[in-house]
Amino acid sequence: GESAMNRVNKVKEHIRQGQKSYGFMLTFPSATIIEIFGHLGFDHVMIDSEHGNFTPESAEEMIRAADVVGLTALVRVPDHEPSTIMRILDRGAMGIMAPHVNTRAEAEHVVQAVKYYPLGKRGLGAHRASTFDITMTRAEYVEWANRETLIMVQLEEVEALNNLDDILKVEHIDLYTFGPNDLSQSLGVPGQATHPKVVEAMNQASAKIRAAGKHVAGDWTMSANVPGLLISAASAFLKEAKASK
């Protein structure tokens, strides 16, 4: 089989080439949906284990399904604990989205948990991601993982926006994204993700991120939400079916 050494993180590769990646966020376990979307030509899947109902075991099955169809599997983790991040990366995720990153210290903490020495402090063992030490040495795996593993941080509170200049000083963060829903709460307009206050805050922060020479996720990735796609397609089908009776 193909060794993990030959695998590239499509999102990171596209950024290197100045291209956008097309992905989808999955909020419930379905290997079948991952296979279908992979065959359709999507680049990556974001497995949502923050709000979605994934166990580490079901997440691993999603990552395995993504591997089958050549999708880059990323996971939104529920917290920044090194043990949480290590377990999901050991299972073969090619990157993480870290929610609620509000300070430079938290951003550094995430990087330390994702990267191996000398870039970070991730614990090193044999696992699925390193092909159980079969197709490469530990040293080769460390080099590959440090290069190909993606880090995306979510700025979801006013505190994060206030600390943005400091957060942007942290190295090895590939993409910065927002959490419009949580930002709406933080800005006093809960549930109004498209409120002018929220939009303005995200626009200002995006400008600051770009000015620092860093990447705003929305400039480099387009992401569909699987429940949203199912709902829109199913409701359109139902409407048409009822109209043509």
Side-chain angles (χ1 to χ4, degrees):
E2 184 190 26
S3 106
M5 295 300 293
N6 304 328
R7 285 164 63 217
V8 297
N9 184 319
K10 287 186 175 175
V11 182
K12 289 194 75 149
E13 181 68 9
H14 286 171
I15 292 170
R16 290 193 279 261
Q17 294 169 356
Q19 298 172 333
K20 249 189 182 178
S21 292
Y22 298 87
F24 58 101
M25 183 173 265
L26 190 64
T27 54
F28 55 88
S30 173
T32 304
I33 284 179
I34 287 182
E35 287 185 312
I36 289 170
F37 279 50
H39 290 307
L40 283 170
F42 279 80
D43 299 307
H44 67 277
V45 54
M46 178 67 72
I47 296 157
D48 183 6
S49 75
E50 186 196 18
H51 291 289
N53 58 333
F54 290 95
T55 62
E57 290 72 27
S58 65
E60 179 175 330
E61 295 312 318
M62 297 310 105
I63 295 163
R64 187 170 280 124
D67 288 344
V68 169
V69 287
L71 281 168
T72 291
L74 308 173
V75 177
R76 175 157 72 169
V77 288
D79 56 59
H80 308 160
E81 285 306 312
S83 60
T84 302
I85 290 171
M86 182 177 72
R87 274 187 307 206
I88 209 70
L89 293 176
D90 284 1
R91 285 178 155 89
M94 301 275 282
I96 64 153
M97 182 196 286
H100 300 287
V101 174
N102 288 323
T103 65
R104 179 177 179 165
E106 285 175 357
E108 283 170 347
H109 190 70
V110 168
V111 172
Q112 293 293 308
V114 170
K115 302 290 186 181
Y116 290 113
Y117 180 86
L119 308 180
K121 296 176 180 166
R122 180 178 161 198
L124 179 57
H127 42 64
R128 184 175 180 271
S130 67
T131 66
F132 311 99
D133 291 343
I134 297 166
T135 68
M136 56 187 140
T137 65
R138 290 270 174 105
E140 286 170 330
Y141 168 69
V142 164
E143 190 193 346
W144 175 84
N146 272 357
R147 184 179 69 246
E148 295 300 327
T149 306
L150 176 133
I151 301 175
M152 190 187 314
V153 301
Q154 268 189 295
L155 310 165
E156 310 192 73
E157 269 94 23
V158 170
E159 186 189 356
L161 304 185
N162 291 342
N163 290 326
L164 188 53
D165 291 327
D166 262 356
I167 292 170
L168 287 168
K169 291 177 182 144
V170 179
E171 286 185 67
H172 311 300
I173 293 171
D174 299 286
L175 294 168
Y176 295 83
T177 189
F178 303 99
N181 291 304
D182 279 316
L183 209 45
S184 76
Q185 297 196 87
S186 189
L187 287 163
V189 287
Q192 300 178 58
T194 57
H195 190 284
K197 273 170 94 169
V198 178
V199 174
E200 175 60 17
M202 293 196 299
N203 286 343
Q204 282 184 4
S206 295
K208 200 178 266 193
I209 293 163
R210 293 183 198 113
K214 310 276 179 149
H215 298 311
V216 177
D219 296 343
W220 295 92
T221 62
M222 279 278 296
S223 194
N225 184 300
V226 169
L229 287 176
L230 288 172
I231 291 164
S232 63
S235 59
F237 165 81
L238 199 54
K239 200 172 170 184
E240 203 176 308
K242 287 179 173 177
S244 64
K245 56 178 179 225

